Structures are given as structure tokens and as C-alpha cells.
Amino acid sequence: MSRTKPRARRRVTAIAAPAAAALLLLAGCASSQATDVALAPPPAVTPAPQSISVDVTVAPTLGDNADAQNAAEMLHAALLKRFGDAGVTARTATAPAPARLTVQITRADKGNGIKRMFAGFGAGRSALQTVTTFQVADRDTPAMSFSSTTKSSRKPGLMLPGAVAAATGDASRFLIGGGVNLLIPSRAGIPHEADRSAKLIVKQTRELYRASGWTWPQDIKART
């Protein structure tokens, strides 16, 4: 009996350890998703916009929510930067431009750092939801519209579920989550959600350019 148990425990550990590692790997990814995407490319004769004005607002239902207001400012700045990095001239909403990108924030949640630290696996996640439209001058119908949602990762917290530790027969596995979080800086909160949202919005704008037969400046640079 005394010899059988250690062997059985080693077999359980050999199975459970890779499973736990896979769980940690899958849990570590932040998410960015575009939904309800509608493209209505302008006629082929319409030239590519030489510049885009960017306007970020907060949905009336959010009122004067501080997180939403901060998110609007950060998202606006992130969009100007990411468009600039892509070679697209982006300006503030007050500057005239042949195209206008309007983003409305419908949810802004900075999350809960304590829950992320101790519980993890989605508890206390930060999130940002937006509705985006791209309007070309002299056209009544938006050339593009979509909703987007970004959320921080589902990394484990300081304590992994007891089932993992019990299955592996090693109580130290309770602390694996804490080790992971100490080694990997947290990318959560409004600043990170604003940057992830900006990246997604610019990506979708690139798809509109391609569908419209317009040249995306960064594509030209990549070919040279």
C-alpha cells in the first residue's frame, strides 16, 4: 500500500501538471473583439481621405462617470498615436478633414486590482466597450460602423483553485498564480484598455481602406 500511493500520486501529478500549465497559458490572454461590423465602401471614384478627424465621446447613459471620462481622453490620445504610427494623418475633432471617426464609449470599467491579485481568472477584470463609425465627407451613410470590447487578461491570482493543488498532491501549487503575477506585470486598467481599443479600431479602419480600394500608408512602407 505504501508503495502504490506514491506511484499513483506521481501519475496524477504527471497528468495534472501539464493541465495546470495549459490553464495558466490560456488564462493569460487579454481579449479584444469587434462585433456588428458593417462596411459600406464608398464608390471607387472616391479618393482616399488625406486626413481623419477623431472624436471620442461618452454615452449619455454614463453621465459624468469619471472612469468613462478618463477613458475618452486616453482613447483619443491613443488613437492619434496609433494612426500616426500607421502613417495616417489623424487630427482632433475640431480640425476639418475629409473623413471623421467617431467613437462613443458605452462602458468603462477600471476593474478591481485586489480581486485581480488574489482571485484572478477574470475577477476584477478591466473592460472598455465602444461604438465606432467612420464617415466620409459628402456621404450620408457611414462607410463603417462596429462595436468593440476589450478586457484585461484572466491570469490566475495569488491562489489557484484547490482542485489543482489536490490533484497534483502538491500544496505549493496554491501559490503558482502568485508567482506568475509577480513575474508578469499586470496590463489592466483604463490606460491599457484604451490602448487595446485604439489598436482594434485602427485595425478595422485598415480593413475599410482595403475594402474601398484605398492604400493604407503602412502597407506601402512594408513593401519598400
Side-chain angles (χ1 to χ4, degrees):
M1 292 292 291
S2 60
R3 294 181 180 178
T4 303
K5 287 184 177 179
R7 290 180 182 177
R9 180 173 294 177
R10 284 196 296 270
R11 285 197 297 270
V12 173
T13 301
I15 296 172
L23 182 62
L24 290 176
L25 183 62
L26 292 173
C29 299
S31 63
S32 299
Q33 182 180 22
T35 57
D36 301 324
V37 179
L39 294 179
V45 295
T46 304
Q50 297 301 307
S51 62
I52 302 172
S53 65
V54 178
D55 187 20
V56 182
T57 63
V58 176
T61 54
L62 296 181
D64 56 357
N65 181 281
D67 288 344
Q69 298 295 336
N70 289 336
E73 295 178 7
M74 293 179 184
L75 179 54
H76 186 267
L79 283 168
L80 294 182
K81 181 181 185 305
R82 285 199 172 271
F83 272 120
D85 291 344
V88 178
T89 301
R91 302 172 177 173
T92 60
T94 56
R100 184 183 184 89
L101 183 84
T102 303
V103 183
Q104 185 179 77
I105 294 174
T106 56
R107 178 192 174 194
D109 187 351
K110 65 181 178 182
N112 187 306
I114 299 299
K115 288 184 179 180
R116 287 195 298 268
M117 179 182 296
F118 288 97
F121 290 107
R125 296 176 81 182
S126 55
L128 188 63
Q129 293 180 346
T130 64
V131 175
T132 300
T133 58
F134 188 100
Q135 193 87 30
V136 178
D138 301 326
R139 293 198 73 206
D140 296 330
T141 305
M144 175 180 67
S145 64
F146 64 94
S147 300
S148 69
T149 301
T150 65
K151 294 181 180 181
S152 58
S153 69
R154 297 173 60 88
K155 290 193 305 180
L158 288 172
M159 304 293 279
L160 284 178
V164 174
T168 58
D170 184 355
S172 67
R173 293 187 183 278
F174 273 119
L175 302 178
I176 289 180
V180 171
N181 277 333
L182 289 175
L183 291 174
I184 304 175
S186 175
R187 286 184 54 80
I190 294 299
H192 293 299
E193 299 312 328
D195 187 61
R196 277 190 279 264
S197 293
K199 182 179 179 179
L200 181 59
I201 291 170
V202 171
K203 178 182 177 181
Q204 289 299 131
T205 304
R206 182 186 182 188
E207 294 302 316
L208 171 65
Y209 268 59
R210 289 179 168 180
S212 304
W214 299 335
T215 301
W216 187 251
Q218 200 172 45
D219 292 343
I220 299 177
K221 186 177 180 180
R223 293 196 296 264
T224 59

